[in-house]
Structures are given as structure tokens and as C-alpha cells.
Amino acid sequence: MRHFLTLKDFTREEILEIINLAFKIKKKSKEGKRKKYLKNQTLGMIFEKSSTRTRVSFEVGMYQLGGSALFLSSNDIQLGRGEPMKDTARVLSRMLDMVMIRTFSQNELEEFAKHSSIPVINGLTDLCHPVQLLADYMTMVEHKKDKDIVVTYIGDGNNIASSWLILAAKLRFDLKIASPKGYECNPLIIDYALREAKKSGAKIRFYHDPKKAVKNADIVTTDTWVSMGQEEGKSKRVKDFKGFIVDSDMMSLAKNNAIFMHCLPAYRGLEVSEDVLEGEQSVIFDEAENRLHAQKGIMVWLDRNRK
Ligand code: CP
Ligand code: NVA
């Protein structure tokens, strides 16, 4: 049985297998054919942080696959009152078929998975957001047919940036990350990605100057400067990220046909300007929709791999 905790646990071939499955399910679904791959199965969705896309896409995805989903807010379940992850995992394993967790610590998620006898999916931790990146990859493939794509991520070296690093290293594309000093990516993820990139041939570079990083980009992407749980440090962050907004000046330095991506929610006037977000180069709603398709691929793949 497999879990979906980080893209590090997957080979390039496995990631592409999930993506292809997701594309197949998406195509069929658009034709009105929804195969009930997960008939009568139940997905539990534990949320210790807020969510719009993750909650709705998992719930609707499971429904479209013939199953049902339970929203379990940590405010309401005993986990929030201190019941250990390992007990929660063993109880839920007796009742559910699969579980998705959005939490703070990757270690807590891994602790849950260690005690779970059903597949566990990472719905975002402080460390990474792997389901988002599969949706992002689908969006890249749909909008950029050329080989040798260059992706530039401008902003906080957070969970999204780390996930881009792992994906680029595994799937072999060029990634440039520009963050202000002090906001670089997790050093362990950087080391991992550089080692993987050496094997795969991916080109990964880091910058402090976003204008240098954005040159020649086919895809420009960013994320909030203030992730969930960092609200208290917001005003310092807004100062420290000066010059990192993706606005039309920044976009004009990328390739003419570059696209703009953002996992959402976006904060206009901070990490991205209104005109870029709403402009012709922006593919943010295709990207959001692909959450639904990517996660259906993940759930079906996990179900197949337990048999
Ligand atoms: N991108 C993303 O995970 O969005 P939500 O926080 O709304 O789930
Ligand atoms: N980096 C953001 C992503 C939200 C989808 C956060 O962790 O809040």
C-alpha cells in the first residue's frame, strides 16, 4: 500500500503514470463519462487549516468517482483536543477507505501515515503541497507544448516553492527560484532537489534578484508571502518582499508567450498585481480546476496500488 505524502516518495515514471491517469479521467469526465472507480468508498478529510480548493476538489472528486467524503475539521474532532495522531489513524483506518490531511507539521502527517492501514494523502503541510503540484504540472502540459520549459517561481521559499523544486528535479525541467534573503527554500529540500537534478538532468538555479530569474521564463509563478500560520509576521514580510511583486513589468521580462500561474488564494497588490492575475497570460482558473482532476488520478492510483 502507498501513501501520497511527498513527491520524493515517487519515481518519475510513477508521477507520470498518475498524471496520465488524471488526464484520462479528465477527458472522459468532459465527455460525460464518469467511471465509478471508487464506488462505495469513503474518504476522510482532516483539516487543521482553512481551505477552499482542496476541500471542494477532494469532496467532489470522490463523489464523481462513486464514493463519498467526510469533512473533519480539527476544531470538531478529538484530534483538536489532543487525541494523538496515532490513535486517530488507527480508529479512522477501521472506518474509512482513504484519508486526506491538511496540517502544519510534515512529521505529524508522517506519524499518522505510519499508523494508518489505509492510504494517506497530504493535502498541504508547512513543508510541501504535492497534490497542488500535480495539478500545476497538468496545467503546464496543457498550455506549453514545447520541450525545455523554463519555470520561474518568484517569492517565498515556502511549501509551494519546495514542491516545485522536487517536481522539477524528478520530471527534469528548468526551474529558477527567486526569494528575498532570509526567505530561501528549506535547505534539506534544496539539497535533495540538487542531488535528484544531477541524476535527472534538471537545471535548478536560485536568485535573490527576481528580474534576473524571470528572464526567458515560459511560466512565471508565485504564491502568497504570508502562508497559513504566519499571519503575525505579515507586516515585516510585506516590507521584506518589496520588489518581488509579479506585475506587468516583471511579466514583460519573461518570454512574450509566457503564462502566469498561482495556486491561489492570491493577494492582489502583494505577490501579484490585479492586471497580471486577471490578464491574458494568467491560467489560474485552469490550474484550480486541475486540482479536481489531478486528485482523482491520485485517489484511483492509490486504490489500485493497494490491491
Ligand atoms: N491552493 C490551495 O490548496 O487552495 P486552498 O487553500 O483553498 O485549498
Ligand atoms: N503557501 C500557502 C499555500 C496555500 C494554498 C500556505 O501554506 O498557506
Side-chain angles (χ1 to χ4, degrees), residues 38-231:
L38 304 181
K39 196 163 175 220
N40 296 333
Q41 294 202 24
T42 309
L43 172 77
M45 309 185 297
I46 301 178
F47 282 93
E48 295 202 72
K49 293 178 175 177
S50 308
S51 169
T52 299
R53 281 142 289 265
T54 305
R55 176 180 176 178
V56 175
S57 54
F58 268 108
E59 190 161 339
V60 171
M62 196 60 186
Y63 174 75
Q64 292 181 354
L65 292 169
S68 55
L70 282 179
F71 172 68
L72 304 166
S73 159
S74 61
N75 293 329
D76 304 327
I77 61 173
Q78 299 288 7
L79 186 70
R81 296 181 63 247
E83 185 169 17
M85 277 288 191
K86 61 181 181 183
D87 292 358
T88 311
R90 284 174 288 180
V91 170
L92 295 185
S93 294
R94 303 281 184 113
M95 300 172 182
L96 299 169
D97 299 287
M98 222 176 263
V99 66
M100 181 244 86
I101 307 181
R102 166 168 286 196
T103 187
F104 293 87
S105 146
Q106 182 80 13
N107 287 343
E108 286 278 293
L109 173 78
E110 290 185 2
E111 163 81 358
F112 188 105
K114 205 170 104 192
H115 295 278
S116 169
S117 55
I118 54 172
V120 179
I121 303 171
N122 180 351
L124 179 146
T125 62
D126 290 347
L127 189 72
C128 56
H129 195 5
V131 293
Q132 175 71 51
L133 265 286
L134 291 203
D136 291 359
Y137 191 71
M138 288 178 76
T139 315
M140 268 172 79
V141 170
E142 287 170 337
H143 284 274
K144 288 280 158 201
K145 302 291 173 214
D146 355 329
K147 270 187 139 193
D148 303 327
I149 293 296
V150 179
V151 178
T152 297
Y153 174 95
I154 296 174
D156 192 17
N158 61 13
N159 43 10
I160 296 291
S162 290
S163 307
W164 274 107
L165 271 175
I166 302 170
L167 189 80
K170 290 270 182 189
L171 296 193
R172 197 191 304 133
F173 57 85
D174 286 10
L175 175 66
K176 301 191 271 181
I177 296 194
S179 312
K181 286 202 177 108
Y183 295 93
E184 295 89 352
C185 292
N186 179 315
L188 295 176
I189 303 282
I190 295 180
D191 281 354
Y192 171 84
L194 292 178
R195 263 185 282 123
E196 268 312 291
K198 230 181 224 165
K199 287 189 246 159
S200 72
K203 219 156 126 198
I204 293 176
R205 283 158 290 174
F206 298 94
Y207 300 78
H208 287 124
D209 180 352
K211 292 200 171 113
K212 269 194 193 148
V214 80
K215 269 194 197 126
N216 270 326
D218 296 285
I219 295 174
V220 182
T221 185
T222 182
D223 182 26
T224 179
W225 296 338
V226 188
S227 283
M228 289 179 275
Q230 299 175 333
E231 291 75 7

